Coordinates of all heavy atoms in Angstrom, one line a residue:
M156 N 0.9 -1.2 0.0 CA 0.0 0.0 0.0 C 0.9 1.2 0.0 O 1.9 1.3 0.7 CB -0.9 0.0 1.3 CG -1.8 -1.1 1.4 SD -2.8 -1.0 3.0 CE -3.9 0.3 2.6
R157 N 0.5 2.2 -0.7 CA 1.2 3.5 -0.8 C 0.8 4.4 0.4 O -0.3 4.1 1.0 CB 1.0 4.2 -2.1 CG 1.6 3.4 -3.3 CD 3.1 3.1 -3.2 NE 3.8 4.3 -3.2 CZ 4.3 5.0 -4.3 NH1 4.1 4.6 -5.5 NH2 4.9 6.1 -4.1
L158 N 1.5 5.4 0.7 CA 1.2 6.3 1.8 C -0.2 6.8 1.9 O -0.9 6.8 2.9 CB 2.2 7.4 1.8 CG 2.1 8.4 3.0 CD1 2.2 7.7 4.3 CD2 3.1 9.5 2.9
K159 N -0.7 7.3 0.8 CA -2.1 7.8 0.8 C -3.1 6.8 1.2 O -4.1 7.1 1.9 CB -2.5 8.4 -0.6 CG -1.8 9.8 -0.8 CD -2.2 10.4 -2.2 CE -1.5 11.7 -2.4 NZ -1.9 12.3 -3.6
A160 N -2.9 5.6 0.7 CA -3.8 4.5 1.1 C -3.7 4.1 2.5 O -4.7 3.9 3.2 CB -3.6 3.3 0.2
V161 N -2.5 4.1 3.1 CA -2.3 3.9 4.5 C -3.0 4.9 5.4 O -3.7 4.6 6.3 CB -0.8 3.7 4.8 CG1 -0.6 3.6 6.3 CG2 -0.2 2.5 4.1
I162 N -2.8 6.2 5.0 CA -3.4 7.3 5.7 C -5.0 7.1 5.7 O -5.6 7.3 6.7 CB -3.0 8.6 5.1 CG1 -1.5 8.9 5.4 CG2 -3.9 9.8 5.7 CD1 -0.9 10.1 4.7
S163 N -5.5 6.8 4.5 CA -6.9 6.6 4.3 C -7.5 5.5 5.2 O -8.5 5.6 5.9 CB -7.2 6.4 2.9 OG -8.6 6.1 2.7
R164 N -6.8 4.4 5.2 CA -7.2 3.2 5.9 C -7.1 3.4 7.5 O -7.9 2.9 8.2 CB -6.4 1.9 5.5 CG -6.8 1.4 4.2 CD -8.2 0.7 4.1 NE -8.2 -0.5 4.9 CZ -9.2 -0.8 5.7 NH1 -10.2 0.0 5.8 NH2 -9.1 -1.9 6.4
T165 N -6.0 4.0 7.9 CA -5.8 4.1 9.4 C -6.4 5.4 10.0 O -6.7 5.4 11.1 CB -4.3 4.1 9.7 OG1 -3.7 5.3 9.1 CG2 -3.6 2.9 9.2
G166 N -6.6 6.4 9.1 CA -7.1 7.7 9.7 C -6.0 8.5 10.4 O -6.4 9.4 11.1
M167 N -4.8 8.0 10.3 CA -3.7 8.7 11.1 C -2.9 9.6 10.2 O -2.8 9.3 9.0 CB -2.7 7.7 11.7 CG -3.4 6.7 12.7 SD -2.2 5.7 13.6 CE -1.1 5.1 12.3
P168 N -2.4 10.8 10.7 CA -1.6 11.6 9.9 C -0.2 11.0 9.7 O 0.2 10.1 10.4 CB -1.5 12.9 10.7 CG -1.8 12.5 12.1 CD -2.7 11.3 12.0
I169 N 0.5 11.6 8.7 CA 1.8 11.1 8.3 C 2.7 11.1 9.5 O 3.4 10.1 9.8 CB 2.4 11.9 7.2 CG1 1.6 11.8 5.9 CG2 3.9 11.5 6.9 CD1 2.0 12.8 4.9
S170 N 2.8 12.1 10.3 CA 3.7 12.2 11.4 C 3.4 11.1 12.4 O 4.4 10.5 13.0 CB 3.6 13.6 12.1 OG 2.3 13.8 12.5
T171 N 2.2 10.8 12.7 CA 1.9 9.7 13.6 C 2.3 8.3 13.1 O 2.8 7.5 13.8 CB 0.4 9.7 14.0 OG1 0.0 11.0 14.5 CG2 0.0 8.6 14.9
I172 N 2.1 8.1 11.8 CA 2.5 6.9 11.2 C 4.0 6.7 11.3 O 4.4 5.6 11.8 CB 2.1 6.8 9.7 CG1 0.5 6.7 9.6 CG2 2.8 5.7 9.0 CD1 0.0 6.9 8.2
Y173 N 4.8 7.7 11.0 CA 6.2 7.6 11.1 C 6.7 7.5 12.5 O 7.6 6.7 12.8 CB 6.9 8.8 10.4 CG 6.8 8.7 8.9 CD1 6.7 9.8 8.1 CD2 6.8 7.5 8.2 CE1 6.7 9.8 6.7 CE2 6.7 7.4 6.8 CZ 6.6 8.5 6.1 OH 6.6 8.5 4.7
R174 N 6.1 8.2 13.4 CA 6.5 8.2 14.9 C 6.2 6.8 15.4 O 7.0 6.2 16.1 CB 5.7 9.2 15.6 CG 6.2 9.3 17.1 CD 5.6 10.5 17.8 NE 4.1 10.6 17.7 CZ 3.5 11.6 17.0 NH1 4.2 12.5 16.4 NH2 2.2 11.6 16.9
R175 N 5.0 6.2 15.1 CA 4.7 4.9 15.6 C 5.6 3.8 15.0 O 6.0 2.8 15.6 CB 3.2 4.6 15.4 CG 2.3 5.4 16.3 CD 0.9 5.0 16.1 NE 0.8 3.7 16.8 CZ -0.3 3.4 17.6 NH1 -1.3 4.2 17.7 NH2 -0.3 2.2 18.2
E176 N 5.9 4.0 13.7 CA 6.8 3.1 13.0 C 8.2 3.0 13.7 O 8.7 2.0 14.0 CB 7.0 3.5 11.6 CG 7.9 2.6 10.8 CD 8.1 3.1 9.4 OE1 7.8 4.2 9.1 OE2 8.7 2.3 8.6
L177 N 8.7 4.2 14.0 CA 10.0 4.3 14.7 C 10.0 3.6 16.1 O 11.0 3.1 16.6 CB 10.5 5.7 14.8 CG 10.9 6.3 13.5 CD1 11.2 7.8 13.7 CD2 12.2 5.6 13.0
A178 N 8.8 3.7 16.7 CA 8.7 3.1 18.1 C 8.4 1.6 18.0 O 8.3 1.0 19.1 CB 7.5 3.9 18.8
G179 N 8.2 1.1 16.8 CA 7.9 -0.3 16.7 C 6.4 -0.7 16.9 O 6.1 -1.8 17.2
R180 N 5.5 0.3 16.8 CA 4.1 0.1 17.0 C 3.3 0.3 15.7 O 2.1 0.6 15.8 CB 3.6 1.1 18.1 CG 4.3 0.8 19.4 CD 3.7 1.7 20.6 NE 3.1 2.9 20.1 CZ 3.5 4.1 20.4 NH1 4.5 4.3 21.2 NH2 2.9 5.2 20.0
F181 N 3.9 0.2 14.6 CA 3.3 0.3 13.3 C 4.2 -0.4 12.3 O 5.4 -0.5 12.5 CB 3.1 1.8 12.9 CG 2.2 2.0 11.7 CD1 0.8 2.0 11.9 CD2 2.7 2.1 10.4 CE1 0.0 2.1 10.8 CE2 1.8 2.2 9.3 CZ 0.4 2.2 9.5
P182 N 3.6 -1.1 11.3 CA 4.4 -1.8 10.3 C 5.5 -0.9 9.7 O 5.2 0.3 9.4 CB 3.3 -2.2 9.3 CG 2.0 -2.2 10.0 CD 2.1 -1.1 11.0
R183 N 6.6 -1.5 9.4 CA 7.7 -0.8 8.7 C 7.4 -0.6 7.3 O 6.9 -1.5 6.6 CB 9.0 -1.5 9.0 CG 9.4 -1.4 10.4 CD 10.8 -1.8 10.6 NE 11.1 -3.1 10.0 CZ 12.3 -3.7 10.1 NH1 13.3 -3.1 10.6 NH2 12.4 -4.9 9.5
R184 N 7.8 0.5 6.7 CA 7.7 0.7 5.3 C 8.8 0.0 4.5 O 9.9 -0.2 5.1 CB 7.6 2.2 5.0 CG 8.9 2.9 5.4 CD 8.7 4.4 5.2 NE 9.9 5.1 5.8 CZ 9.9 5.7 7.0 NH1 8.9 5.7 7.7 NH2 11.0 6.3 7.4
L185 N 8.6 -0.2 3.3 CA 9.6 -0.8 2.4 C 9.9 0.2 1.3 O 9.0 0.8 0.8 CB 9.0 -2.1 1.7 CG 8.6 -3.2 2.6 CD1 7.8 -4.3 1.8 CD2 9.8 -3.9 3.2
R186 N 11.2 0.3 1.0 CA 11.6 1.2 0.0 C 11.3 0.5 -1.4 O 11.9 -0.6 -1.5 CB 13.0 1.6 0.1 CG 13.5 2.6 -0.9 CD 14.8 3.3 -0.6 NE 14.7 4.0 0.7 CZ 14.2 5.2 0.8 NH1 13.6 5.8 -0.2 NH2 14.2 5.8 2.0
I187 N 10.5 1.0 -2.2 CA 10.3 0.4 -3.5 C 10.8 1.2 -4.7 O 10.7 0.8 -5.8 CB 8.7 0.2 -3.7 CG1 8.0 1.5 -3.7 CG2 8.2 -0.8 -2.7 CD1 6.5 1.4 -4.0
G188 N 11.5 2.3 -4.4 CA 12.1 3.1 -5.4 C 13.0 4.1 -4.8 O 13.1 4.2 -3.5
A189 N 13.6 5.0 -5.6 CA 14.5 6.0 -5.0 C 13.7 7.0 -4.1 O 14.2 7.5 -3.1 CB 15.2 6.8 -6.1
R190 N 12.5 7.3 -4.5 CA 11.7 8.2 -3.7 C 10.3 7.7 -3.4 O 9.3 8.4 -3.3 CB 11.6 9.5 -4.4 CG 12.9 10.2 -4.6 CD 12.8 11.4 -5.5 NE 11.7 12.3 -5.0 CZ 11.7 13.6 -4.8 NH1 12.8 14.2 -4.9 NH2 10.7 14.2 -4.4
A191 N 10.2 6.3 -3.2 CA 8.9 5.7 -3.0 C 9.0 4.7 -1.9 O 9.9 3.9 -1.9 CB 8.4 5.1 -4.3
V192 N 8.0 4.6 -1.1 CA 7.8 3.6 -0.1 C 6.4 3.0 -0.1 O 5.5 3.6 -0.6 CB 8.1 4.2 1.4 CG1 9.6 4.6 1.5 CG2 7.2 5.3 1.7
A193 N 6.3 1.9 0.5 CA 5.0 1.2 0.6 C 5.0 0.3 1.8 O 6.0 0.0 2.4 CB 4.7 0.4 -0.7
W194 N 3.8 -0.2 2.2 CA 3.6 -1.1 3.3 C 2.9 -2.3 2.8 O 2.1 -2.2 1.8 CB 2.7 -0.4 4.4 CG 3.4 0.6 5.2 CD1 3.9 0.5 6.4 CD2 3.6 2.0 4.8 NE1 4.4 1.7 6.8 CE2 4.3 2.6 5.9 CE3 3.3 2.8 3.7 CZ2 4.6 4.0 5.8 CZ3 3.7 4.1 3.6 CH2 4.3 4.7 4.7
Y195 N 3.1 -3.4 3.4 CA 2.3 -4.6 3.1 C 0.9 -4.4 3.6 O 0.7 -4.0 4.7 CB 2.9 -5.9 3.8 CG 4.1 -6.4 3.2 CD1 5.4 -6.4 3.8 CD2 4.0 -7.1 2.0 CE1 6.5 -6.9 3.2 CE2 5.2 -7.6 1.4 CZ 6.4 -7.6 2.0 OH 7.5 -8.1 1.4
K196 N 0.0 -4.7 2.7 CA -1.4 -4.5 3.1 C -1.8 -5.4 4.3 O -2.5 -4.9 5.2 CB -2.3 -4.8 1.9 CG -3.8 -4.6 2.2 CD -4.7 -4.9 1.0 CE -6.1 -4.6 1.3 NZ -7.0 -4.8 0.1
S197 N -1.3 -6.6 4.3 CA -1.6 -7.5 5.4 C -1.1 -7.0 6.8 O -1.8 -7.2 7.8 CB -1.0 -8.9 5.1 OG 0.4 -8.8 5.0
E198 N 0.0 -6.4 6.8 CA 0.6 -5.8 8.0 C -0.3 -4.6 8.5 O -0.5 -4.4 9.7 CB 2.0 -5.5 7.9 CG 2.9 -6.7 7.7 CD 4.4 -6.4 7.6 OE1 4.8 -5.2 7.7 OE2 5.1 -7.3 7.4
V199 N -0.7 -3.8 7.5 CA -1.5 -2.6 7.9 C -2.9 -3.1 8.4 O -3.4 -2.6 9.4 CB -1.7 -1.6 6.7 CG1 -2.7 -0.5 7.0 CG2 -0.3 -1.1 6.3
E200 N -3.4 -4.1 7.8 CA -4.7 -4.6 8.2 C -4.6 -5.3 9.6 O -5.5 -5.2 10.5 CB -5.3 -5.7 7.2 CG -5.6 -5.1 5.9 CD -6.7 -4.1 5.9 OE1 -7.6 -4.1 6.8 OE2 -6.7 -3.2 5.0
E201 N -3.4 -5.9 9.9 CA -3.2 -6.5 11.2 C -3.1 -5.4 12.3 O -3.7 -5.5 13.4 CB -1.9 -7.3 11.2 CG -1.5 -8.0 12.5 CD -0.2 -8.7 12.4 OE1 0.2 -9.1 11.3 OE2 0.5 -8.8 13.4
F202 N -2.5 -4.3 11.9 CA -2.4 -3.1 12.8 C -3.8 -2.6 13.1 O -4.2 -2.3 14.2 CB -1.6 -2.0 12.2 CG -1.7 -0.7 13.0 CD1 -1.0 -0.5 14.2 CD2 -2.5 0.3 12.5 CE1 -1.2 0.7 14.9 CE2 -2.7 1.5 13.2 CZ -2.0 1.7 14.4
I203 N -4.6 -2.4 12.0 CA -6.0 -1.9 12.2 C -6.8 -2.8 13.1 O -7.6 -2.3 13.9 CB -6.6 -1.7 10.8 CG1 -5.9 -0.6 10.0 CG2 -8.1 -1.4 10.9 CD1 -6.3 -0.5 8.6
A204 N -6.7 -4.1 13.0 CA -7.4 -5.0 13.8 C -7.1 -4.9 15.3 O -8.0 -5.1 16.1 CB -7.2 -6.4 13.3
N205 N -5.9 -4.5 15.6 CA -5.5 -4.4 17.0 C -4.4 -3.3 17.2 O -3.3 -3.7 17.4 CB -5.0 -5.8 17.5 CG -4.7 -5.8 19.0 OD1 -5.0 -4.9 19.7 ND2 -4.0 -6.8 19.4
P206 N -4.8 -2.1 17.1 CA -3.8 -1.0 17.1 C -3.0 -0.9 18.4 O -1.8 -0.6 18.4 CB -4.5 0.3 16.8 CG -6.0 -0.1 17.0 CD -6.1 -1.5 16.9
M207 N -3.7 -1.2 19.5 CA -3.0 -1.1 20.8 C -2.0 -2.3 21.1 O -1.1 -2.1 21.8 CB -4.0 -1.0 22.0 CG -4.9 0.3 21.9 SD -3.9 1.8 21.7 CE -3.3 1.9 23.4
G208 N -2.3 -3.4 20.5 CA -1.5 -4.6 20.8 C -0.6 -5.0 19.6 O 0.0 -6.1 19.6
Y209 N -0.5 -4.1 18.6 CA 0.3 -4.5 17.4 C 1.8 -4.6 17.8 O 2.3 -3.8 18.5 CB 0.1 -3.4 16.3 CG 1.0 -3.7 15.2 CD1 0.6 -4.7 14.2 CD2 2.2 -3.1 15.0 CE1 1.4 -5.0 13.1 CE2 3.0 -3.4 13.9 CZ 2.6 -4.3 13.0 OH 3.5 -4.7 12.0
R210 N 2.3 -5.7 17.3 CA 3.8 -5.9 17.3 C 4.2 -6.4 16.0 O 3.6 -7.3 15.4 CB 4.2 -6.9 18.4 CG 3.9 -6.5 19.8 CD 4.8 -5.3 20.2 NE 4.5 -4.8 21.5 CZ 3.9 -3.7 21.8 NH1 3.5 -3.0 20.8 NH2 3.7 -3.3 23.0
P211 N 5.3 -5.8 15.4 CA 5.7 -6.2 14.1 C 6.0 -7.7 14.0 O 6.6 -8.2 14.9 CB 6.9 -5.4 13.8 CG 7.1 -4.4 14.9 CD 6.1 -4.8 16.0
S212 N 5.7 -8.3 12.9 CA 6.0 -9.7 12.7 C 7.3 -9.9 11.9 O 7.7 -8.9 11.3 CB 4.8 -10.4 12.0 OG 4.7 -9.9 10.7
N213 N 7.8 -11.0 12.0 CA 9.0 -11.3 11.2 C 8.6 -12.3 10.1 O 9.1 -13.4 10.1 CB 10.2 -11.9 12.0 CG 10.8 -10.8 12.8 OD1 11.0 -9.7 12.3 ND2 11.2 -11.1 14.0
S214 N 7.6 -11.9 9.3 CA 7.1 -12.8 8.2 C 8.2 -13.1 7.3 O 9.1 -12.4 7.1 CB 5.9 -12.1 7.5 OG 6.4 -11.0 6.7
P215 N 8.1 -14.3 6.6 CA 9.1 -14.7 5.6 C 9.3 -13.7 4.5 O 10.4 -13.4 4.1 CB 8.6 -16.0 5.1 CG 7.7 -16.5 6.1 CD 7.1 -15.3 6.8
A216 N 8.2 -13.0 4.1 CA 8.3 -12.0 3.0 C 9.1 -10.8 3.5 O 9.9 -10.2 2.8 CB 6.9 -11.6 2.6
R217 N 8.9 -10.4 4.8 CA 9.6 -9.3 5.4 C 11.1 -9.6 5.5 O 11.9 -8.8 5.1 CB 9.0 -9.0 6.7 CG 9.8 -8.1 7.6 CD 9.9 -6.7 7.2 NE 8.6 -6.0 7.2 CZ 8.4 -4.8 6.7 NH1 9.4 -4.2 6.1 NH2 7.3 -4.3 6.7
I218 N 11.4 -10.8 5.9 CA 12.8 -11.2 6.0 C 13.5 -11.2 4.7 O 14.6 -10.7 4.5 CB 12.9 -12.5 6.8 CG1 12.5 -12.3 8.2 CG2 14.4 -13.0 6.7 CD1 12.2 -13.6 8.9
E219 N 12.9 -11.7 3.7 CA 13.5 -11.8 2.3 C 13.7 -10.4 1.8 O 14.7 -10.2 1.1 CB 12.5 -12.5 1.4 CG 12.5 -14.0 1.6 CD 11.5 -14.7 0.6 OE1 11.3 -14.2 -0.5 OE2 11.0 -15.7 1.0
L220 N 12.9 -9.5 2.0 CA 13.0 -8.1 1.5 C 13.9 -7.2 2.4 O 14.1 -6.1 2.0 CB 11.6 -7.5 1.3 CG 10.8 -8.1 0.1 CD1 9.4 -7.5 0.1 CD2 11.5 -7.9 -1.2
R221 N 14.3 -7.7 3.5 CA 15.1 -6.8 4.4 C 16.3 -6.2 3.7 O 16.6 -5.0 4.0 CB 15.6 -7.6 5.6 CG 16.3 -6.7 6.6 CD 16.3 -7.2 7.9 NE 15.0 -7.1 8.5 CZ 14.6 -7.8 9.6 NH1 15.4 -8.6 10.2 NH2 13.4 -7.7 10.0
G222 N 16.9 -6.9 2.7 CA 18.0 -6.3 2.0 C 17.6 -5.1 1.2 O 18.5 -4.3 0.8
Y223 N 16.3 -4.9 0.9 CA 15.9 -3.7 0.1 C 15.6 -2.5 1.0 O 15.3 -1.5 0.5 CB 14.7 -4.1 -0.7 CG 15.0 -5.1 -1.8 CD1 14.7 -6.4 -1.6 CD2 15.7 -4.7 -2.9 CE1 15.0 -7.4 -2.6 CE2 16.0 -5.6 -3.9 CZ 15.7 -6.9 -3.7 OH 16.0 -7.8 -4.7
L224 N 15.6 -2.7 2.3 CA 15.3 -1.6 3.2 C 16.5 -0.7 3.4 O 17.6 -1.2 3.3 CB 14.9 -2.1 4.6 CG 13.6 -2.9 4.7 CD1 13.4 -3.4 6.1 CD2 12.4 -2.0 4.4
P225 N 16.3 0.6 3.6 CA 17.5 1.5 3.8 C 18.2 1.0 5.1 O 17.5 0.5 6.0 CB 16.9 2.9 3.9 CG 15.4 2.6 4.1 CD 15.1 1.3 3.6
P226 N 19.5 1.3 5.3 CA 20.2 0.8 6.5 C 19.5 1.3 7.8 O 19.6 0.5 8.7 CB 21.6 1.5 6.3 CG 21.7 1.7 4.8 CD 20.3 2.0 4.3
S227 N 18.9 2.4 7.8 CA 18.3 2.9 9.1 C 17.1 2.1 9.4 O 16.6 2.1 10.6 CB 17.9 4.3 9.0 OG 17.0 4.5 8.0
Q228 N 16.5 1.3 8.5 CA 15.3 0.6 8.7 C 15.6 -0.9 8.9 O 14.7 -1.7 9.3 CB 14.3 0.8 7.5 CG 13.8 2.2 7.4 CD 13.0 2.6 8.6 OE1 12.2 1.8 9.1 NE2 13.2 3.8 9.1
A229 N 16.7 -1.4 8.5 CA 17.0 -2.8 8.6 C 17.3 -3.3 10.0 O 17.6 -2.6 10.8 CB 18.2 -3.1 7.7

């Protein structure tokens, strides 16, 4: 999901999404281009289902793509 879709689905502003992501309370974004990021829809839906109890998973897809994350996110 791209940023606008994540904002629409969660109802949270950009600053809150990034702040919660850094604190480990929101799914991490994936770099999909030089100036583009996206989130796994399944991880965003998991967050929406239980926002207070959300903890990031180490799904196989997430682990495989870890090499594509910027160093600060890996």
Side-chain angles (χ1 to χ4, degrees):
M156 297 176 74
R157 297 298 301 271
L158 181 58
K159 286 184 181 184
V161 172
I162 291 169
S163 175
R164 287 288 295 136
T165 63
M167 296 188 317
I169 297 169
S170 59
T171 300
I172 290 170
Y173 288 149
R174 186 173 49 251
R175 290 187 74 140
E176 179 186 13
L177 287 173
R180 297 186 335 242
F181 193 81
R183 292 192 306 177
R184 60 188 174 259
L185 298 169
R186 183 164 301 282
I187 59 172
R190 295 175 48 128
V192 296
W194 286 260
Y195 282 111
K196 183 177 182 178
S197 60
E198 291 182 2
V199 173
E200 296 296 333
E201 183 181 331
F202 168 81
I203 291 168
N205 185 11
M207 297 306 288
Y209 176 81
R210 294 290 176 257
S212 66
N213 286 323
S214 69
R217 165 67 66 190
I218 292 167
E219 286 178 28
L220 290 174
R221 184 158 288 163
Y223 293 101
L224 294 173
S227 64
Q228 297 294 317

